[in-house]
Amino acid sequence: MKRNSWRGRQNNVQSNCRQAYSPRPHRVHNNWSSGRYEQEELQNPGTSQPETPSTSANVCQNSSVPELPGFYYDPEKNRYFRLLPGHNNCNPLTKESIQHREMENRRLRLLEEDEKRLRKTSRCGLNSSIILRKRQLGLFSSLSYCRLIHEAKVNCMQRRKLEIESPDSSVSGSNNFKLIAADTAYERIFTVNDVEHGGCKYGIVNLSGLRKDSLTVEMYDNLYFTNRKVNSVCWASLSHPDSHVLYPLTCPVPVGTVGLFYSISLTASSKLCLMGIAETLGCASLLPASLFSNSNTGDQPGMLCSFKISTAWSCAWCLNPQAENCFSTGLSRRVLVTNAVTGHRQTFGTSSDVLAQQFAAQTPVLYNGCRSGEIFSIDVRQRSHKGQSWKAVRLFHDSAVTSVNLLKTEHCLMAADMAGQVKLWDLRKLKCVQEYRGHHNEHAVLPLHISEEEGLLAAVGQDCYTRIWSLQDAHLLRTIPSPHPSSMDSIPSVVFSSRLGGANGVPGLLMAVGQDLYYFSYKTDDPYCLHSKEMDISD
């Protein structure tokens, strides 16, 4: 009798297994709903864990519904659907399309929460009124008060769309933004826009309108455009602070083409006249910012020059007087340091492509981040000799380094890589002292934006989400979804500062995505966030 009952139970188990893995779609009755899962996921927006959209596999694993190979379970329709490998135009039900749909639904929900102000604060007790009261009672120092107020205001920022005005009505809103870069005073941003026929065009946006509580900015364009790919951009101080814009290009010209370097007078007593041969496919250009301004027609156009180099991944301008008028370009397996006036060059060989660079301000030292994950520094005053090591500082990441940023004291360095890791390194101890979690990157070169005065770190991930951390304790303060649908061609480019528009500017975040420019302002209707006038109190 016991043997028969055991066989009966075995038959029931086998029949249940065959039924669970039946290839035919069938309905499964359970209490699982995607809305409940996503609502629970968004209840902790301040966690520092990486925020990745849920996939069908995760849904099946976390629920009572078994995962069937080759099938996708839709919790809304409560049934299974067959999956096709790769992309298919006849039946778009693939893993990629399902994941993209889930990411898009999540983005729309976050946008709706931002508009309805349903988002919770990332820290417990992060309330501007409470912070102000504790400051008045002497419980906070001036530094701690300013840092906490900025964290509270960042959590309350509201998105507003800026109107771009241009002397040429056909310029504004006609091309997609690829990247933006602000000058040192945050009065202007240099823009790189994609054009329809391929290539890029350039422009400069004047942010002075933000100081007048206006949502209008002026964009100046010119006739300069290129069919080459722009990999990196930085401001250069050649004739005066932020006088030029430096950007390396990938040139679609035959190897060995003879190239003429431009000869234009910089001053009455100095001229630049260089000749060269383009032996490789690339160049670095210095474009005067005065070419974009039509307000002062009597100004000198400045020096326009182009240096033929190999394909460059990154660039940096040196502000130290010991290496005056020098800039660097990160190439494939080497670093090239060039004097923009004399044309003198120094070459440092490396074992990997250099994807990120930055010069120190106190010393003429160049920091480089490589595709191999290595970070090293070069003192440009020394000459490289065969058999001698010229790498002063060496740090290592597990993946390709995409950004390096020095803090003002130049004792610490912030670096990000293609594995999504963001680390703060102590250059004196050669040790990682802080790690900022949540950044998403797989294969893109994405920059970091550090605001030390406000104690904030901002970065845009490959998933098109802009994340803001506390610089002090690496706490994730805010995750901002993109106003446009997420794709590799529409990754936002941002600029953050407490003085957008100049010395008396306004705090906030600028985001360029698609053909639009958005301003995330500190001003808000939220009663728990103070206005700018209430933030400033005397000691």
Side-chain angles (χ1 to χ4, degrees), residues 339-509:
N339 190 303
V341 177
T342 63
H344 178 264
R345 293 187 175 185
Q346 279 184 278
T347 303
F348 300 90
T350 64
S351 59
S352 180
D353 301 339
V354 181
L355 303 182
Q357 291 183 314
Q358 186 183 10
F359 271 103
Q362 301 177 8
T363 57
V365 176
L366 174 65
Y367 290 86
N368 306 268
C370 296
R371 190 184 298 275
S372 61
E374 181 185 9
I375 302 174
F376 62 88
S377 64
I378 302 174
D379 192 334
V380 298
R381 294 170 295 185
Q382 66 178 350
R383 296 181 179 272
S384 57
H385 299 284
K386 187 176 181 180
Q388 296 182 359
S389 177
W390 38 261
K391 295 182 180 180
V393 175
R394 299 186 69 182
L395 308 171
F396 295 93
H397 275 236
D398 296 332
S399 183
V401 178
T402 60
S403 178
V404 290
N405 297 79
L406 279 171
L407 272 61
K408 290 184 179 180
T409 59
E410 298 186 0
H411 295 157
C412 295
L413 180 139
M414 187 84 68
D417 58 29
M418 288 189 182
Q421 292 184 335
V422 181
K423 295 183 179 181
L424 179 64
W425 294 87
D426 191 328
L427 298 179
R428 296 163 295 184
K429 300 179 180 179
L430 301 180
K431 180 181 179 181
C432 177
V433 295
Q434 194 71 268
E435 187 170 355
Y436 302 79
R437 301 183 183 276
H439 185 54
H440 179 78
N441 191 11
E442 295 179 357
H443 53 76
V445 179
L446 302 173
L448 297 175
H449 307 274
I450 301 177
S451 301
E452 288 192 62
E453 297 178 359
E454 299 81 12
L456 300 173
L457 168 67
V460 180
Q462 194 173 330
D463 55 356
C464 298
Y465 284 88
T466 302
R467 294 174 175 86
I468 302 177
W469 294 267
S470 171
L471 194 60
Q472 182 181 22
D473 57 3
H475 189 84
L476 182 60
L477 301 173
R478 178 82 180 269
T479 300
I480 303 175
S482 173
H484 289 223
S486 302
S487 66
M488 283 299 300
D489 297 331
S490 61
I491 297 179
S493 182
V494 300
V495 168
F496 182 86
S497 175
S498 60
R499 47 187 176 88
L500 292 174
N504 298 322
V506 294
L509 175 77

Side-chain angles (χ1 to χ4, degrees), residues 35-62:
R36 181 185 304 173
Y37 172 79
E38 289 155 348
Q39 184 179 1
E40 293 175 356
E41 183 186 5
L42 296 175
Q43 285 180 355
N44 300 319
T47 58
S48 58
Q49 298 298 329
E51 302 180 7
T52 56
S54 59
T55 60
S56 59
N58 294 334
V59 172
C60 293
Q61 292 175 359
N62 296 333

Side-chain angles (χ1 to χ4, degrees), residues 171-470:
V171 171
S172 61
S174 59
N175 302 110
N176 293 329
F177 286 100
K178 183 177 180 181
L179 60 90
I180 59 176
D183 60 1
T184 54
Y186 291 96
E187 296 177 348
R188 303 164 296 173
I189 57 173
F190 180 77
T191 66
V192 179
N193 300 73
D194 291 329
V195 293
E196 296 179 355
H197 56 77
C200 301
K201 61 185 301 186
Y202 318 117
I204 285 184
V205 177
N206 191 346
L207 303 179
S208 59
L210 297 179
R211 293 180 299 180
K212 306 174 184 178
D213 295 335
S214 173
L215 296 179
T216 303
V217 293
E218 297 179 352
M219 182 173 184
Y220 299 100
D221 204 353
N222 60 18
L223 299 179
Y224 287 92
F225 68 92
T226 178
N227 59 345
R228 307 165 184 173
K229 181 181 178 181
V230 179
N231 294 323
S232 177
V233 167
C234 71
W235 287 82
S237 301
L238 190 57
S239 56
H240 55 84
D242 298 328
S243 61
H244 289 66
V245 178
L246 172 67
Y247 53 93
L249 299 171
T250 301
C251 302
V253 295
V255 177
T257 303
V258 177
L260 172 66
F261 293 88
Y262 296 95
S263 172
I264 295 181
S265 175
L266 176 61
T267 61
S269 58
S270 64
K271 293 184 178 181
L272 176 68
C273 184
L274 300 173
M275 294 289 293
I277 298 179
E279 298 180 352
T280 48
L281 304 179
C283 69
S285 299
L286 278 168
L287 188 64
S290 58
L291 294 177
F292 297 88
S293 176
N294 56 0
S295 58
N296 299 323
T297 56
D299 291 347
Q300 295 292 332
M303 181 176 63
L304 172 65
C305 55
S306 180
F307 302 89
K308 297 298 180 181
I309 58 176
S310 62
T311 300
W313 300 99
S314 58
C315 63
W317 182 267
C318 185
L319 296 176
N320 189 276
Q322 299 185 54
E324 190 177 8
N325 299 327
C326 287
F327 68 91
S328 67
T329 48
L331 312 179
S332 296
R333 299 181 179 274
R334 60 194 178 111
V335 174
L336 185 63
V337 179
T338 307
N339 190 303
V341 177
T342 63
H344 178 264
R345 293 187 175 185
Q346 279 184 278
T347 303
F348 300 90
T350 64
S351 59
S352 180
D353 301 339
V354 181
L355 303 182
Q357 291 183 314
Q358 186 183 10
F359 271 103
Q362 301 177 8
T363 57
V365 176
L366 174 65
Y367 290 86
N368 306 268
C370 296
R371 190 184 298 275
S372 61
E374 181 185 9
I375 302 174
F376 62 88
S377 64
I378 302 174
D379 192 334
V380 298
R381 294 170 295 185
Q382 66 178 350
R383 296 181 179 272
S384 57
H385 299 284
K386 187 176 181 180
Q388 296 182 359
S389 177
W390 38 261
K391 295 182 180 180
V393 175
R394 299 186 69 182
L395 308 171
F396 295 93
H397 275 236
D398 296 332
S399 183
V401 178
T402 60
S403 178
V404 290
N405 297 79
L406 279 171
L407 272 61
K408 290 184 179 180
T409 59
E410 298 186 0
H411 295 157
C412 295
L413 180 139
M414 187 84 68
D417 58 29
M418 288 189 182
Q421 292 184 335
V422 181
K423 295 183 179 181
L424 179 64
W425 294 87
D426 191 328
L427 298 179
R428 296 163 295 184
K429 300 179 180 179
L430 301 180
K431 180 181 179 181
C432 177
V433 295
Q434 194 71 268
E435 187 170 355
Y436 302 79
R437 301 183 183 276
H439 185 54
H440 179 78
N441 191 11
E442 295 179 357
H443 53 76
V445 179
L446 302 173
L448 297 175
H449 307 274
I450 301 177
S451 301
E452 288 192 62
E453 297 178 359
E454 299 81 12
L456 300 173
L457 168 67
V460 180
Q462 194 173 330
D463 55 356
C464 298
Y465 284 88
T466 302
R467 294 174 175 86
I468 302 177
W469 294 267
S470 171

